[in-house]
Amino acid sequence: MTLTRTAYDGVPYTRGGGVERATVGALLKSAVEGDQDAWRGLVDGLSPLVWSVVRGHRLSEADAHEVYQIAWFRFAQNLGRIREPEKAGSWLAATARHECLKVLRAQRRWTPTDDPQVLDRPCDSCSPEQKVLESEEEAERADRHRTVWEEFDALGDRCRQLLRLIIAQPPPSYREVSVALGIAVGSIGPIRQRCLRRLRKRLTDRGVL
């Protein structure tokens, strides 16, 4: 993958400019060969750059963390395809910006609400009783959706990160998940099952399932 020039090419990779592009290039080459210390070095060195991009788009805390994780996952997916390793930070920052814009576009298309004045839209062909029923159903769906995400957020970082990656489209391979999260390939399935059981139990206790 050849990297074209981006707006981030002249930006220091950390707030203090402490990570040189040559260092990033060397770490990337080692990470491609499976060096976990090199991967952690990339994450530690480039995370401030990713966060600066994400925070600059003024996303909610939950959306900011999700975009941060997705940007790193995309980076892990393309680790071996980057032909200019010293520009890896620019690629990562541009990816974070792209994911931020996707979130903002989605928010403009659909904004969740439980405001009955919004949910109770006019319907010329509906009777008053049908309007009330539809409004109640929409409010119930919104409440159920909110409960699901509340319980998902309560699972803990490890489960949240793993489940978000597994439900991504297109679905990643276990090897890609292993690289992105630093989990052994053979552990991914059992961890996923435990996380899903915990989520199901929490939702059952809340009366959602």
Side-chain angles (χ1 to χ4, degrees):
M1 180 184 299
T2 301
L3 300 178
T4 57
R5 181 169 179 79
T6 77
Y8 301 102
D9 283 348
V11 178
Y13 281 175
T14 67
R15 291 182 181 86
V19 178
E20 299 291 339
R21 280 168 172 72
T23 301
V24 170
L27 288 172
L28 179 65
K29 291 174 184 177
S30 296
V32 170
E33 296 172 358
D35 187 334
Q36 289 299 315
D37 288 336
W39 173 256
R40 284 191 289 270
L42 286 171
V43 174
D44 291 342
L46 296 179
S47 283
L49 175 65
V50 179
W51 277 121
S52 69
V53 174
V54 174
R55 296 302 188 195
H57 286 79
R58 301 180 182 276
L59 302 180
S60 69
E61 192 70 17
D63 285 339
H65 280 278
E66 184 165 1
V67 166
Y68 173 84
Q69 293 165 9
I70 291 174
W72 277 108
F73 176 64
R74 300 297 182 211
F75 184 70
Q77 280 183 310
N78 291 279
L79 208 59
R81 302 189 184 101
I82 298 176
R83 297 178 182 174
E84 298 178 82
E86 70 281 357
K87 287 188 176 183
S90 301
W91 186 94
L92 185 57
T95 300
R97 178 179 179 275
H98 175 73
E99 294 298 331
C100 287
L101 294 177
K102 282 174 60 177
V103 170
L104 293 173
R105 284 195 295 270
Q107 288 175 346
R108 285 195 293 270
R109 289 197 301 269
W110 178 69
T111 302
T113 179
D114 55 4
D115 184 348
Q117 292 185 346
V118 175
L119 294 173
D120 191 14
R121 294 187 177 89
C123 175
D124 294 337
S125 61
C126 296
S127 67
E129 293 79 7
Q130 287 175 312
K131 291 181 181 179
V132 171
L133 180 60
E134 288 182 0
S135 176
E136 290 177 347
E137 289 174 346
E138 287 290 345
E140 183 179 348
R141 278 194 292 269
D143 186 62
R144 188 163 56 246
H145 183 271
R146 184 168 53 250
T147 300
V148 168
W149 283 108
E150 285 175 357
E151 295 305 327
F152 181 86
D153 286 340
L155 287 176
D157 289 343
R158 192 180 195 187
C159 281
R160 288 199 304 269
Q161 292 170 359
L162 178 60
L163 293 180
R164 280 187 176 122
L165 290 182
I166 288 174
I167 65 175
Q169 293 295 328
S173 68
Y174 271 22
R175 170 63 181 165
E176 290 169 330
V177 174
S178 173
V179 172
L181 299 182
I183 299 174
V185 171
S187 300
I188 294 173
I191 293 174
R192 181 191 64 177
Q193 291 301 322
R194 286 197 296 271
C195 292
L196 289 174
R197 282 197 298 268
R198 286 176 57 195
L199 180 59
R200 177 176 291 276
K201 183 179 185 306
R202 297 183 73 94
L203 293 176
T204 301
D205 291 344
R206 292 284 297 271
V208 175
L209 296 179

